[in-house]
Amino acid sequence: MYEMGRSVRDVFVSDYDLDGNLDIATLDVDEPAVYIRYGNGRRDFAGKLDGFDVTSGAFGMHAGDFDLDGDTDLVVFGSALTTLINNAGVLEPFSLPSPGIITGQLNDGITGEFDLLLGLDIAHTGEYSAFFQRGTLVGQTWEFGQQTLLPVFEGASGIASGVFGFDGDEYEDLVVVNQGRNSAQLLRSNGDGAFILEGEAVVCPPGSGAYRVQTGDLDADGNLDLVTTCDVGIWTITYGTGGGEFDDPLEQPVETVFQAAISDIDQDGDLDALVTQSLLGHIEIFINDGRAPFTFDTTLDAVGDAWSFEVTDIDRDGAVDVIAALTDGPVGNVAIFWANP
């Protein structure tokens, strides 16, 4: 494990210093700060650790090439926004004022191309609602415009995107889950930064709420499906049937489940599911054999609370590794679970 501050929430892997080796960036929500530990390409991250102060009230971080220059930038969501724009391998933090998001640790944020303008935009939840902000290049800094309120129910928590095929266009649409409802809301992008509520999909058991949601075509039928974590120790698969319509969710129990990811872990050509047992330091892996329920495969066991993780081939050996963000009391770490080809 590698120390990364005090309270690690989000983790993103990329080559931030442009030396050809992948590095690890994490968000510390207590300080608050972003830490980057640089890799040497030999399964070793024991070297240099950089830290950057970020917005107060930080609850999430996302990565993307905002300015389309070929390298990875970061944005931190909180009481304001902090962008870390990558200029020739050097991250430069820049804080942007916000109209005043009411933040909480169940909030979430993503990047995407949601309108006709080049470059990435952001969408994020507040304690009660959700917002869209258009990205714009201003000089050497990527800024985000005024918040546009998204048409969702009070209590928004997780947010994800995907092309749901409402109208045959290729714009990214949004799906927002709610900590006080058992349904996800589906928002269609019209290409100019506005979103229209198209409907809902039940994703959790009656009387429960949802934490996080991910999208992917799990059954290879051409329709996006939803993987959702619920606040009653259950994660679900909700298969899309086309046109923004969904079947009933298929439930699988996992105690203290919080974060979810979709990846082809066993490299057999279909997407599998991973979920955190947030208070137990576990990441549970479930294998896709064609249709749900998925088959439990293994538990990745680490020390501390597991809030976030990334699935990627960090040592570039052809096998997919798991990088977990962990908090153990006053110490934050990342644990790397290496996979072999």
Side-chain angles (χ1 to χ4, degrees), residues 64-117:
D65 184 6
F66 302 140
D67 47 6
L68 302 179
D69 65 352
D71 51 31
T72 302
D73 312 301
L74 295 166
V75 60
V76 176
F77 306 96
S79 301
L81 298 171
T82 300
T83 57
L84 292 95
I85 302 299
N86 197 331
N87 288 313
V90 177
L91 288 171
E92 300 177 0
F94 183 77
S95 288
L96 304 167
S98 167
I101 309 170
I102 302 174
T103 64
Q105 290 304 310
L106 291 182
N107 295 162
D108 195 13
I110 59 170
T111 62
E113 293 187 48
F114 300 114
D115 59 23
L116 295 172
L117 302 179

Side-chain angles (χ1 to χ4, degrees), residues 109-139:
I110 59 170
T111 62
E113 293 187 48
F114 300 114
D115 59 23
L116 295 172
L117 302 179
L118 284 178
L120 294 183
D121 313 301
I122 58 174
H124 51 90
T125 62
E127 186 74 359
Y128 300 102
S129 194
F131 306 90
F132 165 79
Q133 290 182 250
R134 174 175 284 154
T136 305
L137 184 63
V138 179

Side-chain angles (χ1 to χ4, degrees), residues 66-340:
F66 302 140
D67 47 6
L68 302 179
D69 65 352
D71 51 31
T72 302
D73 312 301
L74 295 166
V75 60
V76 176
F77 306 96
S79 301
L81 298 171
T82 300
T83 57
L84 292 95
I85 302 299
N86 197 331
N87 288 313
V90 177
L91 288 171
E92 300 177 0
F94 183 77
S95 288
L96 304 167
S98 167
I101 309 170
I102 302 174
T103 64
Q105 290 304 310
L106 291 182
N107 295 162
D108 195 13
I110 59 170
T111 62
E113 293 187 48
F114 300 114
D115 59 23
L116 295 172
L117 302 179
L118 284 178
L120 294 183
D121 313 301
I122 58 174
H124 51 90
T125 62
E127 186 74 359
Y128 300 102
S129 194
F131 306 90
F132 165 79
Q133 290 182 250
R134 174 175 284 154
T136 305
L137 184 63
V138 179
Q140 296 298 311
T141 301
W142 194 256
E143 297 188 1
F144 297 100
Q146 188 79 6
Q147 293 182 162
T148 299
L149 189 66
L150 294 173
V152 299
F153 291 116
E154 182 177 304
S157 49
I159 189 167
S161 65
V163 179
F164 286 95
F166 297 116
D167 49 12
D169 65 29
E170 293 301 314
Y171 299 132
E172 287 188 76
D173 305 305
L174 293 175
V175 54
V176 182
V177 294
N178 190 294
Q179 56 195 291
R181 300 174 68 90
N182 71 327
S183 61
Q185 292 182 272
L186 306 168
L187 308 179
R188 175 172 57 85
S189 170
N190 67 5
D192 65 2
F195 292 84
I196 299 165
L197 178 61
E198 285 288 341
E200 295 184 71
V202 174
V203 293
C204 288
S208 67
Y211 287 143
R212 292 291 185 267
V213 62
Q214 295 291 327
T215 68
D217 186 1
L218 302 176
D219 54 0
D221 67 349
N223 300 311
L224 282 184
D225 312 307
L226 307 177
V227 170
T228 309
T229 57
C230 307
D231 63 5
V232 287
I234 285 173
W235 70 277
T236 67
I237 297 171
T238 309
Y239 285 109
T241 58
E245 300 293 328
F246 292 85
D247 287 336
D248 292 335
L250 300 170
E251 302 174 5
Q252 300 196 200
V254 169
E255 185 180 356
T256 72
V257 66
F258 183 73
Q259 185 64 266
I262 299 171
S263 180
D264 185 6
I265 284 288
D266 56 1
Q267 297 180 301
D268 66 347
D270 54 26
L271 294 173
D272 310 302
L274 303 89
V275 297
T276 59
Q277 287 189 280
S278 58
L279 301 182
L280 299 176
H282 295 171
I283 297 172
E284 307 285 359
I285 298 177
F286 294 83
I287 299 301
N288 182 1
D289 295 319
R291 289 287 292 183
F294 285 10
T295 303
F296 170 74
D297 180 70
T298 190
T299 297
L300 305 180
D301 191 1
V303 177
D305 296 343
W307 294 108
S308 180
F309 62 98
E310 183 161 8
V311 184
T312 190
D313 182 7
I314 194 170
D315 57 355
R316 293 173 170 163
D317 66 351
V320 180
D321 312 301
V322 178
I323 303 92
L326 303 163
T327 298
D328 182 21
V331 179
N333 299 285
V334 290
I336 304 175
F337 299 92
W338 302 105
N340 296 310

Side-chain angles (χ1 to χ4, degrees), residues 33 38 49 62 209 283:
Y38 297 94
L49 177 68
H62 219 272
I283 297 172

